Amino acid sequence: MALTVNDVDRFEASRPRLEAIAYRLLGSAAEAEDAVQETFLRWQAADVDRIEVPGAWLTKVLTNLCLNQLSSARARRETYVGQWLPEPLLAGDPMLGPADTAEQRESVSYAVLVLLERLSPNERAVYVLREAFDYPHREIAAILGTTETASQQIFHRAKKHVAAGKARSEVDEAAARRIVDEFLAAATSGRTEPLVRLLTQDAVSIGDGGGKVPARAKAFEGALAVAKFLRGLFKPSAAKRALVGGPAEVHATTANGDPALVAVVGGRVVGVMCLEVTAGGIAAFRNQVNPDKLERATRRWAAADHGEPLLTAF
């Protein structure tokens, strides 16, 4: 059936929420956009006049599309070259969704998105719908075709898994930015010791190059190993400049609400380093350098003024 202007407007009013749900479920902005577009095609083919609660109908269609995508994604990631990390979203991206509560902000943090990869598709769906969007279990059960009691059990199990993998404590934004500034100073000093002092003893560094940009297949683990890697990463060289296409301007910002460093070459984002900062120091560096996962970041970066870079690397 042909959609009226009002029907299209009703869908567009739901698009931001649908995109935010899909991103949290899939960990990919590009895949989230595709899932929302497929939801629109289902809306277009439906008899929308008979749909009593359009928002609920759209959420159910989208969630089930994402569940199918997650099942196939698991098989694809088994053959993924190197480490797989989510696509980072820079500050102000509407796909980050609601950020009114601590739970909503945490649900889209880079660290939690990584942890969500450990959950089953159903656990991930229940966790996202409940924790980030406050859907009642009755509605979640209807979306997933299960019972309210089962939805509650799945949520508690998922929340327990996520909590078990989270950093021990949190720090406020001002303290996190101070640590980022100290980290940059230490990383460019050419010495390992200042970096070690900023890290937790069990710090890790993970990189996702997707087979297109060199990134170590195995994570660096432990403060000393991570510090040595970072010292080398920030050491200028002609090979690094050639790899990224020139000197990289490094800016401090946030990605998924976490402190982050963005490396930009000629207006193109070539890397996003997300820092997991705790009261005990920096616990993790998650470095996204796969160009396929930086296209949206580049578009967002070009749309705003970011001032002078903190430094020019490589």
Side-chain angles (χ1 to χ4, degrees), residues 178-252:
R178 285 196 300 273
I179 292 175
V180 169
D181 290 339
E182 291 174 8
F183 162 69
L184 271 181
T188 55
S189 70
R191 297 168 55 230
T192 303
E193 295 79 7
L195 278 167
V196 170
R197 288 196 293 269
L198 292 174
L199 309 180
T200 61
Q201 286 302 306
D202 57 352
V204 297
S205 179
I206 304 169
D208 178 349
K212 299 186 177 184
V213 174
R216 191 169 185 260
K218 191 173 184 297
F220 290 93
E221 299 181 353
L224 184 58
V226 171
K228 288 180 177 179
F229 163 69
L230 292 170
R231 183 191 63 189
L233 179 66
F234 281 87
K235 185 178 181 180
S237 75
K240 291 174 189 170
R241 288 192 293 274
L243 179 65
V244 299
E249 296 181 339
V250 178
H251 297 256

Side-chain angles (χ1 to χ4, degrees), residues 86-153:
E87 180 176 348
L89 296 183
L90 300 184
D93 194 313
M95 199 176 278
L96 290 169
D100 299 326
T101 67
E103 290 79 12
Q104 289 172 337
R105 292 189 294 273
E106 184 178 76
S107 71
V108 79
S109 74
Y110 211 61
V112 168
L113 286 181
V114 171
L115 291 171
L116 291 183
E117 288 295 309
R118 304 178 184 179
L119 305 183
S120 70
N122 269 14
E123 287 174 337
R124 187 163 182 162
V126 172
Y127 181 87
V128 166
L129 291 173
R130 180 62 183 164
E131 192 79 347
F133 295 91
D134 203 29
Y135 276 79
H137 285 289
R138 173 178 49 80
E139 292 185 24
I140 296 173
I143 289 170
L144 298 180
T146 187
T147 66
E148 188 172 348
T149 299
S151 175
Q152 291 171 338
Q153 291 172 342

Side-chain angles (χ1 to χ4, degrees), residues 25-26 34-40 42 58-72:
L25 288 177
L26 300 173
D34 290 344
V36 172
Q37 183 59 27
E38 180 60 32
T39 302
F40 175 74
R42 303 286 179 94
L58 290 169
T59 302
K60 181 171 184 175
V61 170
L62 175 82
T63 301
N64 283 284
L65 286 170
C66 289
L67 288 175
N68 292 336
Q69 181 78 0
L70 282 171
S71 298
S72 61

Side-chain angles (χ1 to χ4, degrees), residues 177 181 184 247-253 261-266 301 305-313:
R177 177 55 193 268
D181 290 339
L184 271 181
E249 296 181 339
V250 178
H251 297 256
T253 183
L261 296 173
V262 176
V264 183
V265 176
W301 191 261
D305 179 21
H306 302 279
E308 294 297 316
L310 295 178
L311 62 93
T312 299

